[in-house]
Amino acid sequence: MIINSYRFASVTLPADYGSGAIVAFSLRYVSSSYSGDVIRVRRSSDGTEQDFTPIEITDGTLTTFVGSGDGIVVKWYNQGTGGSTYDAEQNISSRQPKIISSGLLYAINGIAAISFSTDEMRFLAFASSGFTIFCATEPQFADATFLSGGDNTSNRFDAGVRTTTDTRTLVSESGTTTRINTTTNYMNDHMIYVGTKTDLRINGSSIQTGTISGDLQAYTSSNSIGARRYESSNTNVQYGQKFMQELIVYGTDQTSDISDIEDNINDYYSIY
């Protein structure tokens, strides 16, 4: 049995504040109540799939399993309060991101990361009353949006680095679109992104404030990790190269806890 060592420690993990994050995807444990597998990987050599814990990602178990080929992420398990209902999956093999390429583990600052190119993972959409989004990511090219969802242009949202002059949180609800964004270029920057309805933060600092009037919705289409998408078809979707290590989404405003959560993420990834 795998034990989450943080369960018995005094530290509060980043998905544990308030009533808890609804979804929490990471390659480490980010919830004291979760101690299961964090990803499911398919190896390119023969298509065999296997689940892995954080320890197995770092101790060589994963790379041994994959061998000299590619390790493709099939499922990213949800550690949040929404449970397995909100696991992120991708059933189309050509759109599955990689964690290993030609036998080498993708890593930033020596810590494992998932590489998204023309790839994405999908999870069930949910409605929020306020929201707080945390992401440890490194955008590489334009359209490096890391989280999005929606059914059409009138009801959608996206978060991440859209272009070299547009890092943002955007929500459109019933045709009313509001956003908080900055024109500062964060391309190729390893960052901790935080988005709320009133603030956009990068690496522990408030970059831009404003007011987003809408909330996240229980869209008919599933939400996307790794792409900018606002419907289930492939008509309105854009992909951009990025690395991702952690994505945590609260369906509430956790402004009072942001600094503590940022510190925990930064202490682990050494981003700034």
Side-chain angles (χ1 to χ4, degrees):
M1 180 177 66
I2 302 297
I3 300 296
N4 182 348
S5 60
Y6 289 108
R7 178 178 293 179
F8 306 102
S10 58
V11 64
T12 301
L13 291 181
D16 285 347
Y17 287 83
S19 56
I22 296 178
V23 295
F25 305 103
S26 183
L27 300 175
R28 63 165 177 150
Y29 288 129
V30 292
S31 168
S32 60
S33 61
Y34 187 86
S35 56
D37 299 307
V38 293
I39 54 170
R40 185 169 185 83
V41 173
R42 173 174 56 84
R43 63 188 180 198
S44 60
S45 59
D46 62 3
T48 300
E49 297 182 6
Q50 186 171 309
D51 292 326
F52 294 91
T53 66
I55 292 174
E56 292 170 334
I57 293 173
T58 60
D59 70 2
T61 302
L62 171 60
T63 53
T64 298
F65 166 77
V66 172
S68 61
D70 296 337
I72 299 111
V73 181
V74 176
K75 180 181 286 190
W76 207 350
Y77 290 100
N78 178 33
Q79 301 181 40
T81 59
S84 60
T85 299
Y86 294 95
D87 287 345
E89 301 182 68
Q90 178 55 268
N91 297 320
I92 301 174
S93 59
S94 62
R95 295 196 188 126
Q96 292 168 342
K98 294 179 182 178
I99 190 169
I100 291 177
S101 177
S102 300
L104 298 177
L105 182 72
Y106 281 115
I108 307 174
N109 290 346
I111 301 175
I114 298 175
S115 174
F116 289 81
S117 182
T118 55
D119 319 298
E120 64 174 324
M121 307 196 79
R122 309 288 294 277
F123 68 93
L124 187 67
F126 60 86
S128 72
S129 178
F131 58 81
T132 312
I133 302 168
F134 299 85
C135 188
T137 182
E138 184 175 302
Q140 300 286 305
F141 297 106
D143 287 317
T145 300
F146 61 78
L147 178 65
S148 66
D151 292 323
N152 48 56
T153 56
S154 296
N155 295 282
R156 62 187 175 104
F157 81 98
D158 64 66
V161 179
R162 178 78 173 87
T163 68
T164 56
T165 58
D166 188 12
T167 296
R168 73 190 194 186
T169 309
L170 176 148
V171 176
S172 183
E173 185 174 331
S174 300
T176 299
T177 301
T178 48
R179 74 190 75 197
I180 302 175
N181 72 310
T182 175
T183 58
T184 301
N185 183 5
Y186 289 102
M187 207 66 69
N188 298 305
D189 286 354
H190 194 195
M191 68 167 68
I192 299 173
Y193 168 108
V194 181
T196 73
K197 294 183 67 171
T198 58
D199 198 6
L200 173 62
R201 299 174 60 85
I202 304 293
N203 292 344
S205 298
S206 176
I207 302 302
Q208 186 67 50
T209 59
T211 301
I212 292 177
S213 60
D215 279 302
L216 309 186
Q217 302 297 317
Y219 308 109
T220 302
S221 302
S222 55
N223 288 341
S224 172
I225 299 174
R228 179 175 174 264
R229 170 190 291 279
Y230 47 91
E231 62 179 35
S232 59
S233 74
N234 290 320
T235 302
N236 293 307
V237 58
Q238 290 85 38
Y239 302 100
Q241 174 71 37
K242 68 195 70 64
F243 292 105
M244 291 182 63
Q245 294 171 309
E246 195 159 292
L247 173 63
I248 298 169
V249 184
Y250 284 84
T252 52
D253 182 2
Q254 299 298 133
T255 297
S256 61
D257 303 312
I258 284 177
S259 180
D260 288 338
I261 297 172
E262 287 173 328
D263 286 347
N264 180 285
I265 297 173
N266 189 54
D267 286 347
Y268 186 80
Y269 295 106
S270 300
I271 296 176
Y272 58 90

